[in-house]
Amino acid sequence: MKITFLGTGTSQGIPIIGSDHPVCLSKNPKDKRLRVSVLVEWDNYTFVIDCGPDFRYQMLRAGCKRIDGIIFTHEHSDHVLGLDDIRPFYFRQGDISIYAHKRVLKTLKRRFDYIFQIENKYPGAPTVVVNRVKNKPFKIKNMQVVPISGLHDKLQVFGYRFNDFAYLTDMKTLKNKEISKLYGVKVLVVNALRIQPHRSHFNLDEALQFIKQVNPKKAYLTHISHLLGFHEEVEKKLPKNVYLAYDELEITI
Ligand SMILES: [Zn+2]
Ligand SMILES: [Zn+2]
């Protein structure tokens, strides 16, 4: 299984438009972060988790020529706004499968009504095949996927486990029952926004505490804001098995 980090930044990305914060001005490519998304590849399959406003560029940058579907964590703009840009895939491959909680599907239907329209559909609009995700394991191709439900302030969000790999973003609180679904995972990706606490995201301490509880072999932090600090400086302070993810990082599990 191969994971490619397409984006590792929080909702505004790094740099933030117009910001002269030192991290936003950093010349280190690892301090430049598009909105969060990962490419998950196994056998001959390619899935994307979330497709935010940087989706088009992320697909070009990763050289991604086909996708088998998109799995959504939740409906916030930084995770869904690129949905229109599935068009090149749709033109080449036909209908694109999407997987999401019913509440997320409802939001997508409202925000991208033309994609879901059945009658008098504009010919250039893409079509999706809707797969509703409930909080129980489901199959994607030959892979069993286990949703992990958590709260992002008061909003329900799904993380996903694929065998030895799990990807969680925009989490703030999780019940122990949900955390226990992650036990035994080799590689865990989890969000860490900044140093200071935040009402809807893990800060660095909370993410590290969470990683300790899950106890994976390796963990990567994502959904990072400029307020976490410079990539190089933050990474030096992390525990041995914890790394900061960065855009275009590839890992094989
Ligand atoms: Zn987000
Ligand atoms: Zn969010």
Side-chain angles (χ1 to χ4, degrees):
M1 180 172 225
K2 189 175 124 187
I3 309 300
T4 307
F5 288 87
L6 300 170
T8 57
T10 187
S11 56
Q12 295 186 83
I14 307 177
I16 290 177
I17 297 171
S19 167
D20 50 14
H21 186 281
V23 173
C24 294
L25 299 177
S26 166
K27 296 267 190 292
N28 184 351
K30 290 182 180 171
D31 284 319
K32 305 210 180 298
R33 302 181 187 276
L34 299 179
R35 268 59 71 89
V36 282
S37 179
V38 282
L39 208 57
V40 183
E41 295 172 274
W42 72 92
D43 296 339
N44 285 320
Y45 305 122
T46 303
F47 284 84
V48 193
I49 303 184
D50 291 332
C51 72
D54 299 314
F55 179 70
R56 173 182 170 274
Y57 179 61
Q58 287 166 330
M59 292 294 97
L60 289 169
R61 185 166 75 171
C64 188
K65 291 187 175 154
R66 62 164 283 126
I67 55 169
D68 292 289
I70 303 168
I71 308 160
F72 288 99
T73 59
H74 66 302
E75 65 271 46
H76 280 162
S77 291
D78 53 324
H79 299 255
V80 306
L81 274 193
L83 189 58
D84 186 70
D85 283 317
I86 60 170
R87 292 169 69 227
F89 296 114
Y90 168 72
F91 294 146
R92 243 179 278 131
Q93 304 170 212
D95 301 1
I96 303 295
S97 293
I98 61 167
Y99 299 79
H101 186 282
K102 73 171 179 195
R103 186 200 70 246
V104 177
L105 292 169
K106 204 172 148 193
T107 310
L108 292 176
K109 280 177 190 163
R110 184 167 50 76
R111 296 175 83 173
F112 298 93
D113 56 344
Y114 60 96
I115 292 180
F116 295 86
Q117 199 172 323
I118 292 165
E119 280 171 31
N120 300 321
K121 190 161 174 163
Y122 181 70
T127 304
V128 290
V129 178
V130 170
N131 298 274
R132 190 172 144 191
V133 177
K134 295 178 186 167
N135 193 11
K136 57 179 193 192
F138 61 101
K139 267 243 158 129
I140 295 185
K141 306 289 185 189
N142 57 351
M143 175 74 72
Q144 157 127 315
V145 182
V146 182
I148 294 100
S149 189
L151 288 179
H152 178 32
D153 190 20
K154 289 177 185 133
L155 183 74
Q156 183 276 343
V157 173
F158 275 141
Y160 296 100
R161 177 173 182 170
F162 308 71
N163 292 335
D164 290 334
F165 171 70
Y167 180 85
L168 277 72
T169 188
D170 294 59
M171 292 290 184
K172 175 66 179 180
T173 43
L174 290 103
K175 289 188 175 149
N176 282 328
K177 193 176 124 223
E178 296 297 315
I179 299 173
S180 68
K181 294 177 183 176
L182 295 164
Y183 292 159
V185 80
K186 285 189 183 142
V187 177
L188 172 70
V189 177
V190 66
N191 55 294
L193 186 74
R194 62 186 192 191
I195 306 298
Q196 294 299 319
H198 188 276
R199 65 178 288 162
S200 59
H201 292 269
F202 283 154
N203 67 352
L204 181 59
D205 282 346
E206 289 164 329
L208 294 177
Q209 192 53 47
F210 180 76
I211 291 164
K212 235 182 178 174
Q213 192 178 351
V214 174
N215 195 28
K217 284 211 167 78
K218 277 186 184 180
Y220 292 85
L221 304 176
T222 193
H223 210 290
I224 291 162
S225 103
H226 63 295
L227 299 174
L228 189 65
F230 292 104
H231 182 96
E232 257 173 35
E233 287 178 17
V234 178
E235 203 168 53
K236 273 184 214 153
K237 295 179 199 152
L238 296 177
K240 251 189 180 164
N241 63 333
V242 183
Y243 306 87
L244 276 194
Y246 54 88
D247 287 25
E248 298 188 274
L249 168 66
E250 293 179 5
I251 51 178
T252 306
I253 300 150

